[in-house]
Amino acid sequence: MYYYENKHMTTVLDNAAECTVLLKKDGKFPLPGPCKLAAYGSGMRYTVKGGTGSGEVNSRFTYTIEQGLERAGFEITTKTWLEAYDKIRASAKKDFYKDIKAEAKARHENAILYAMGREMTEPDYSLPLSEDADAAIYVVSRNSGEGSDRTAKEGDVRLTKTEVRDILKLSKKFEKFMLVLNVGGVVDLSPVTEVGNILLLSQLGVDCGRILSDILTGKQNPSGKLTTTWAGCDDYCKAGSFGEWNETAYNEGIYVGYRYFDTFKKQPLFPFGYGLSYTDFRVHTESVTVLADDITVMVQVTNTGTYAGREVVQVYLSLPDGKLDKAYQELCGFAKTRNLQTGESETLEITFKLSDFASYDYGMACYILEGGDYIVRVGNSSRFTEIAAVITLDETVVTIKTRNCFGRPDFVDLVSDQREREEIPDHAVRLSVCGKDVPSTTAVFDRAYEIDERIKKYSDEELAYFVIGNFDVNAKGLSIIGNAATHVAGAAGETTAFSERLGIRPLIMADGPAGLRLCREYYEDEKGAHGVNSSPIPASLLEMMGPAARFVAGILVGGSKAPRKAVIKEQAATMIPIGTAIAQSFNTELAKTFGDLVGEEMEMFGVNLWLAPALNIHRSILCGRNFEYYSEDPLVSGLMAAAITQGVQSHKGCGTTIKHYAANNAETNRYCNNSQVSERAMREIYLRGFGIAVRKAQPKAVMTSYNLLNGIHTAEHRGLIEDVLRCEFGFSGIVMTDWVIEMMKSANSVHRNSLSNEVVKAGGDLFMPGCRKDYDKVLAALKNGSLSREQLLVNATRVLRVAETI
């Protein structure tokens, strides 16, 4: 193992407990040290380090939870049970693959593509729980990934009858028992809430067992908070649709996650922002002050328990009722203490701008703050807050004058009843803000962009190369992830080699978001770098393929054997925790540290653009890629993406690609599904995080999503790309598509894939991964006049400038 691997793994292992959430405690943990442990559940040997698809990373090694605990000194007393479970699982896996192939055939879909991201539900079985030990754990594991969504079935979001039975039995049998959740998303815990200790371990990379060991023995104290509301499966908002093949209606409007639960007075199992610690804290608001529209809250946190630990303070804002319907409250700021010893205190400062929480008025085409009382709430979760201040705005203020961009779906968003007036406690501070002190701006549209003089001399045929991902000009087939890059083995793609005529190296891109997904071993020859003994195709998809399909895939995308005298080189990447886990830390400095780790490896391996972070909203707990995304809340999502970006871009030649822009909140028929969303919901929920990330960190690139938005592909949506992203948010980098490959389109889709000529026309700078057909469509559009040479020059300039200055 190289020095950087040790250093980076230490960074992950020493901080990952911040990403875990203690959901319940009864005082029986932590343990005094490693001991005899009765350990059950699928996660012991089938530990999920992170979700499937783009989230996979080819690290040098991976340990299961069983192996990690044993390496830490625990004696696992349940080997017989684990070996019996192995046989049950292997049999169930065979049946699963057989069923998937039959389903695909019945739907007239490609079996391999249909299987992408699909995971076997946990099987039912009957095995004795007879082993004795000093303590016991049951590890529930769930996986999901790119290409498919989760289901509300037992063995996925719901626990199986076997799991419920065994968890409750173990809870009664052992005085010291902990339910451990090795999951990337919500699991309905309704049947097992009587369990005294529940830990959301999450999916933390290659050595979850070591981190769990540290938590069990108290070497590390969980300090994470939920970034998504955990509730019973049937208790989430049912206003919108999810999982429909061609059309998805976002009828719920702004009422996503805790905004729904808090406004409509629904009781979750564990609310947004919730999380315990082995210790306890007292949270006291010291002061709330106003300067123009800056609100500053000073909060003292004291450790009143018996262990050292960290606490997260959260500030929420309730907007006044008025012309526009409002959620009960929304998160407007948060801060985390340092590691406080018993009896130690720290005062945190949380500042936010009132204007950042303006509501969107479609009729006026602007963001407004309505006159009235704004209630500031302080606490440690969305359901555990106290009113700290009431701030009165003397008049309604337009904060941003813009224009509507997205059209109107054929439904009206869900609305709530007017809120009951709350009794304001005597200790709450009364403050005021004058409307004239709130900043107001008007977005400037239809901008003229600079064109690089060096490329004006090029012909249309030459310019078109700049806006298409690098491809073999002599090949008639498709570019696929892994063979579209020649400089770095296993990279996802790169910009045109044509730029080398100007002395500028192409931009090399690697997938993410849990680290760089590259071939771990490779060799080089005159044609470039080639992966060996590993494939850039996700392991989850290779598992589904038969031997013949794997052989063909190896030829197409590399990963085959090296020539006899080739020098084998290595580029093992470090896997960081999944996006949801990083966000659960509520620590932007830690997120920045993880970004710095990835940036250092990008520098080492010659990667310029990391295709991450992903910050789509947890609209539904069934989304298969929620593990990649941060939260149901746009503030958390935007701040985490900004911090990761700042870490990566602190390294010369390295940039992030924030994605998937936008309204990409499901995997079902993801290439051609149409998201029907109101203008207000788009701006307040689904775009806000992107705006925060752009304004705070200015990522080098933005990746559009596969889906359509109100009938227009996001990659072809000029309003989304030009008006909002560039003119309102101030984005100055390149906009690229996700990897558009015609063969990936479902036979049952009513909508087409996005087209390279339409993407370029809308202001999209790069069509990825690129092939001859995509290039030819751009040339045809230039010739028939539907695409202007000026637009092509503008897009090519942006690609060139980022490649030159990154």
Side-chain angles (χ1 to χ4, degrees), residues 547-669:
R550 281 196 292 269
F551 175 76
V552 172
I555 294 173
L556 284 173
V557 303
S560 57
K561 292 183 179 179
R564 189 172 180 182
K565 295 184 179 180
V567 176
I568 305 301
K569 301 179 181 180
E570 292 186 317
Q571 51 183 12
T574 303
M575 189 171 192
I576 60 176
I578 60 172
T580 302
I582 293 174
Q584 285 170 179
S585 73
F586 273 79
N587 184 346
T588 54
E589 284 302 310
L590 180 58
K592 187 175 180 180
T593 296
F594 287 140
D596 175 62
L597 181 159
V598 173
E600 185 175 341
E601 294 187 1
M602 290 172 68
E603 267 196 290
M604 292 172 55
F605 302 145
V607 173
N608 305 117
L609 289 178
W610 184 33
L611 304 181
L615 61 151
N616 295 101
I617 293 295
H618 291 178
R619 174 182 177 248
S620 167
I621 63 169
L622 299 180
C623 176
R625 289 181 87 171
N626 273 354
F627 69 93
E628 290 189 38
Y629 309 148
Y630 296 118
S631 177
E632 66 190 23
D633 182 77
L635 178 67
V636 173
S637 301
L639 292 177
M640 289 297 163
I644 289 273
T645 294
Q646 289 165 346
V648 168
Q649 295 185 175
S650 66
H651 294 268
K652 183 175 175 54
C654 301
T656 63
T657 307
I658 62 173
K659 63 183 187 182
H660 307 85
Y661 186 74
N664 175 206
N665 306 100
E667 290 298 291
T668 300
N669 189 26

Side-chain angles (χ1 to χ4, degrees), residues 293-579:
D293 82 323
D294 286 336
I295 317 299
T296 298
V297 183
M298 305 296 291
V299 183
Q300 185 189 69
V301 181
T302 303
N303 184 345
T304 60
T306 56
Y307 297 94
R310 306 184 70 173
E311 177 63 306
V312 175
V313 173
Q314 300 155 45
V315 178
Y316 294 82
L317 186 67
S318 295
L319 280 63
D321 288 323
K323 176 184 179 182
L324 300 177
D325 190 44
K326 311 289 199 318
Y328 172 74
Q329 63 181 357
E330 55 185 297
L331 183 71
C332 57
F334 57 87
K336 193 168 191 175
T337 68
R338 64 179 182 272
N339 197 41
L340 298 178
Q341 301 299 315
T342 299
E344 189 177 6
S345 298
E346 181 181 1
T347 297
L348 300 174
E349 178 179 316
I350 302 170
T351 298
F352 64 94
K353 287 184 175 295
L354 201 63
S355 53
D356 285 344
F357 297 89
S359 305
Y360 191 77
D361 186 325
Y362 181 84
M364 296 174 61
C366 62
Y367 291 88
I368 64 172
L369 283 174
E370 298 197 63
D373 289 342
Y374 290 75
I375 300 174
V376 178
R377 307 173 190 274
V378 178
N380 59 8
S381 84
S382 64
R383 287 296 174 101
F384 296 96
T385 63
E386 290 186 351
I387 296 175
V390 178
I391 301 170
T392 302
L393 178 64
D394 65 348
E395 62 179 332
T396 295
V397 179
V398 173
T399 61
I400 303 175
K401 178 62 179 174
T402 179
R403 64 188 182 193
N404 296 324
C405 297
F406 308 123
R408 305 185 78 162
D410 60 358
F411 56 80
V412 176
D413 284 351
L414 176 68
V415 297
S416 66
D417 296 328
Q418 292 284 310
R419 293 195 298 265
E420 298 175 5
R421 290 187 61 85
E422 289 186 79
E423 184 176 339
I424 306 301
D426 294 337
H427 63 77
V429 180
R430 296 276 184 169
L431 301 165
S432 61
V433 172
C434 294
K436 63 182 179 61
D437 293 330
V438 178
S440 180
T441 61
T442 299
V444 178
F445 300 105
D446 306 314
R447 298 178 180 178
Y449 292 99
E450 183 181 0
I451 295 173
D452 195 294
E453 291 293 331
R454 293 171 295 177
I455 62 174
K456 287 183 177 180
K457 65 183 179 182
Y458 291 132
S459 66
D460 290 351
E461 289 76 11
E462 291 170 320
L463 276 176
Y465 285 117
F466 284 92
V467 296
I468 304 295
N470 198 39
F471 64 95
D472 183 349
V473 295
N474 298 312
K476 296 182 180 180
L478 300 170
S479 293
I480 302 174
I481 291 178
N483 77 331
T486 59
H487 290 77
V488 177
E494 57 189 51
T495 56
T496 180
F498 194 83
S499 64
E500 293 180 297
R501 294 189 185 186
L502 297 172
I504 299 172
R505 182 176 182 263
L507 290 166
I508 314 302
M509 308 167 198
D511 218 349
L516 304 177
R517 184 154 63 82
L518 303 170
C519 292
R520 190 167 66 81
E521 295 182 332
Y522 68 99
Y523 70 93
E524 294 175 307
D525 60 20
E526 67 282 357
K527 294 182 180 179
H530 311 274
V532 295
N533 301 324
S534 64
S535 173
I537 294 177
S540 55
L541 198 54
L542 284 172
E543 188 178 7
M544 176 65 190
M545 296 178 180
R550 281 196 292 269
F551 175 76
V552 172
I555 294 173
L556 284 173
V557 303
S560 57
K561 292 183 179 179
R564 189 172 180 182
K565 295 184 179 180
V567 176
I568 305 301
K569 301 179 181 180
E570 292 186 317
Q571 51 183 12
T574 303
M575 189 171 192
I576 60 176
I578 60 172

Side-chain angles (χ1 to χ4, degrees), residues 252-274:
E252 71 279 1
I254 64 170
Y255 292 107
V256 177
Y258 71 89
R259 286 169 169 80
Y260 167 74
F261 281 89
D262 294 350
T263 305
F264 290 86
K265 299 180 180 179
K266 303 293 183 181
Q267 185 62 42
L269 295 174
F270 303 103
F272 174 87
Y274 172 85

Side-chain angles (χ1 to χ4, degrees), residues 43 76 84 148 233 236 243 274-275 336 359 450 475 479 491 511 518 586 596 625 690 694 705 740 776 779 784:
I76 306 301
S148 293
C233 206
Y236 291 91
Y274 172 85
K336 193 168 191 175
S359 305
E450 183 181 0
S479 293
D511 218 349
L518 303 170
F586 273 79
D596 175 62
R625 289 181 87 171
F690 286 94
V694 167
S705 51
V740 180
D776 289 342
L779 289 183
N784 67 30

